Amino acid sequence: MHDIGPFLDRLASQAHPDGGWGYAPDQPAHLEPTCLGLLALSLSPDAHRDVFDKARAALEFCAVGDGTYRLQRGREEAVWPTALVLFVQSVFGAKVEETSRTAGALLRLRGRVPEKDRGDEIHDIDLKLTGWPWADGNFSWVEPTAWACLALRRAGHGEHERVREGLRLLLDRTFDEGGINYGNRHILGKPLEPVPGPTAITLLALQGHADEPRVAASLRYLQREDSLGDDLEHLCWARLALTAYRDQPGILETLTRLDQRIVAAHQARPQTPYLRPNPLREALTALALAAEHNNPFVMKDVAAASPPPLEAPRRKRRSLGERFRSALQGVAARAVGALRQVPPQTQVHVAPVADYNADLADVVRRQYEAFRDKVPLKGKRVVLKPNLVEYHRYKVINTRPHVVAAAIELCKREGAA
């Protein structure tokens, strides 16, 4: 077994003074790294008891009156961490009233079903299957659905119809060849590629279903070295997921190789100038290297557990004056909505180029002519948001710098700051 003490020591040193962890050592607590940090420290809870207790208090500070957990300084509608909190509560053996309240809130969350089914035109997934969204009112996505199913199963609700439908959604979106993307399999006739992280979390949610062909294919996908590359997060999630299927062919041999690759990837991070210390990856590394003997994500006989009663949401009773004002506001909003003309659909302009060495500034300039009247830039302050997620040598994932430069040139030419 690997000595995870140094990883836990670093993780504890990266905790925020107010408790919990952010995505960087100097950030206040976020729910995801705090949940994973707590799971990691629980492997040796007495070593950093004060840090552990403060992190649990920081987690509870994010509890909302309806039973969900949301980051108070973030987007109010971002509700997906509720599933992670329920999972942590279940692992730590929280009181039934506490887990029932969180589970009840999670079961009330539903992904939005598109009003118009254009599945045949756009993609090949079943849009009628309802899972869980990242945020209130959003489409059902893979990772929040996988986390919700995993947490609800861990809490004893594996037989609930919402969980069964969520697992069907995950299987429906898994590629026949194995692996899963973030939400779709094909878009506009173009096949997407699987991603290791969501695949691993999906496999954890689908424990007990190794006989499903797409589950078996996903296990083979995670066992291929070229699937994971040298990304530490992907390697750790793969280790955690494959440990839950250790009785399947070829898994044991893969686990030994994964340990070596995880250690190498972790050691390489400080040598990369632009990579900062990351509490989430520190926690994942400790969890992955301890998975052989202590893996909190492995479920044992949870499907047969009878689900505890779900606690109804507590709603604060509003005063008569508050209800009267709310009613007046509703009447006013409906009246304005009836008078207001429905805005037209947003326009999109697509222009092909042969490669990134083309005159992209000229292409963007000609595109902008279609929007000049509606989106004037002169005198405005513009924020550019390129897509920056992860690096892969052979895939186009991040926005190309040439495209960003072309957008900057357009804004400056039009007189924007």
Side-chain angles (χ1 to χ4, degrees), residues 115-134:
E115 296 177 2
K116 294 182 180 180
D117 186 357
R118 298 178 56 200
D120 293 340
E121 301 175 40
I122 302 175
H123 38 58
D124 63 343
I125 61 174
D126 187 350
L127 295 177
K128 296 183 178 64
L129 290 174
T130 302
W132 279 264
W134 290 108

Side-chain angles (χ1 to χ4, degrees), residues 75-130:
R75 292 177 57 205
E76 181 182 353
E77 63 270 28
V79 73
W80 61 274
T82 303
L84 280 72
V85 176
L86 175 61
F87 184 83
V88 169
Q89 290 173 342
S90 302
V91 170
F92 293 165
K95 294 180 180 178
V96 172
E97 307 83 55
E98 186 179 3
T99 57
S100 295
R101 178 171 169 75
T102 311
L106 187 58
L107 286 167
R108 289 190 294 274
L109 297 173
R110 302 180 68 87
R112 181 178 179 180
V113 177
E115 296 177 2
K116 294 182 180 180
D117 186 357
R118 298 178 56 200
D120 293 340
E121 301 175 40
I122 302 175
H123 38 58
D124 63 343
I125 61 174
D126 187 350
L127 295 177
K128 296 183 178 64
L129 290 174
T130 302

Side-chain angles (χ1 to χ4, degrees), residues 5 12 21 37 72 132 156 172 185-186 198 214-215 248 259 272 320 339 365 385 398:
W21 292 268
Q72 297 192 9
W132 279 264
D172 177 68
R185 288 153 47 101
H186 294 77
R214 291 182 177 178
V215 171
Q248 297 301 306
D259 284 350
T272 306
L320 180 61
L339 294 172
R365 180 189 60 77
K385 192 276 174 190
N398 300 312

Side-chain angles (χ1 to χ4, degrees), residues 311-331:
E311 183 176 316
R314 298 174 186 171
R315 291 184 172 86
K316 180 181 177 182
R317 184 172 178 81
R318 296 180 298 171
S319 67
L320 180 61
E322 289 175 324
R323 283 180 283 167
F324 181 70
R325 285 194 297 272
S326 177
L328 286 179
Q329 290 170 351
V331 171

Side-chain angles (χ1 to χ4, degrees), residues 96-380:
V96 172
E97 307 83 55
E98 186 179 3
T99 57
S100 295
R101 178 171 169 75
T102 311
L106 187 58
L107 286 167
R108 289 190 294 274
L109 297 173
R110 302 180 68 87
R112 181 178 179 180
V113 177
E115 296 177 2
K116 294 182 180 180
D117 186 357
R118 298 178 56 200
D120 293 340
E121 301 175 40
I122 302 175
H123 38 58
D124 63 343
I125 61 174
D126 187 350
L127 295 177
K128 296 183 178 64
L129 290 174
T130 302
W132 279 264
W134 290 108
D136 286 329
N138 279 192
F139 181 66
S140 299
W141 292 93
V142 165
E143 282 186 273
T145 297
W147 267 112
C149 291
L150 176 63
L152 287 165
R153 293 187 69 192
R154 189 69 166 76
H157 300 280
E159 295 303 312
H160 196 284
E161 177 54 36
R162 287 293 317 282
V163 176
R164 290 197 293 266
E165 185 175 10
L167 296 179
R168 289 197 298 273
L169 181 149
L170 294 173
L171 284 171
D172 177 68
R173 298 192 187 182
T174 301
F175 295 97
D176 292 332
E177 303 79 13
I180 198 167
N181 200 279
Y182 293 101
N184 298 291
R185 288 153 47 101
H186 294 77
I187 287 291
L188 297 173
K190 300 293 184 181
L192 301 179
E193 295 186 6
V195 182
T199 299
I201 300 172
T202 295
L203 285 172
L204 288 171
L206 287 166
Q207 290 178 64
H209 297 275
D211 55 336
E212 290 283 349
R214 291 182 177 178
V215 171
S218 296
L219 291 172
R220 292 192 295 271
Y221 163 74
L222 284 187
Q223 290 180 77
R224 297 200 303 266
E225 290 194 16
D226 62 335
S227 297
L228 306 177
D230 56 2
D231 183 273
L232 179 61
E233 194 167 339
H234 288 167
L235 291 166
C236 290
W237 277 120
R239 179 60 161 99
L240 291 166
L242 291 175
T243 305
Y245 293 83
R246 56 182 300 122
D247 58 337
Q248 297 301 306
I251 298 293
L252 288 178
E253 295 82 353
T254 304
L255 295 180
T256 302
R257 294 195 300 271
L258 274 176
D259 284 350
Q260 299 169 353
R261 296 173 65 188
I262 289 170
V263 171
H266 187 279
Q267 292 174 344
R269 284 185 62 83
Q271 302 169 16
T272 306
Y274 57 83
L275 291 181
R276 301 176 63 193
N278 187 300
L280 183 147
R281 288 177 172 82
E282 206 72 58
L284 273 178
T285 303
L287 287 165
L289 293 178
E292 189 70 21
H293 302 282
N294 189 349
N295 187 348
F297 295 98
V298 173
M299 296 183 288
K300 300 176 181 178
D301 304 324
V302 294
S306 57
L310 299 180
E311 183 176 316
R314 298 174 186 171
R315 291 184 172 86
K316 180 181 177 182
R317 184 172 178 81
R318 296 180 298 171
S319 67
L320 180 61
E322 289 175 324
R323 283 180 283 167
F324 181 70
R325 285 194 297 272
S326 177
L328 286 179
Q329 290 170 351
V331 171
R334 286 191 294 272
V336 171
L339 294 172
R340 185 171 53 228
Q341 184 178 1
V342 177
Q345 293 294 313
T346 302
Q347 292 181 327
V348 177
H349 194 281
V350 180
V353 292
D355 56 56
Y356 287 107
N357 293 320
D359 188 353
L360 299 183
D362 183 63
V363 173
V364 173
R365 180 189 60 77
R366 286 186 281 111
Q367 286 183 303
Y368 178 66
E369 295 300 331
F371 304 99
R372 183 183 299 277
D373 293 339
K374 294 182 179 179
V375 191
L377 293 176
K378 187 175 182 179
K380 301 292 182 64

Side-chain angles (χ1 to χ4, degrees), residues 397-416:
I397 300 175
N398 300 312
T399 304
R400 190 73 169 229
H402 297 76
V403 178
V404 181
I408 292 173
E409 186 172 331
L410 170 71
C411 294
K412 288 186 173 181
R413 183 192 294 119
E414 296 293 324

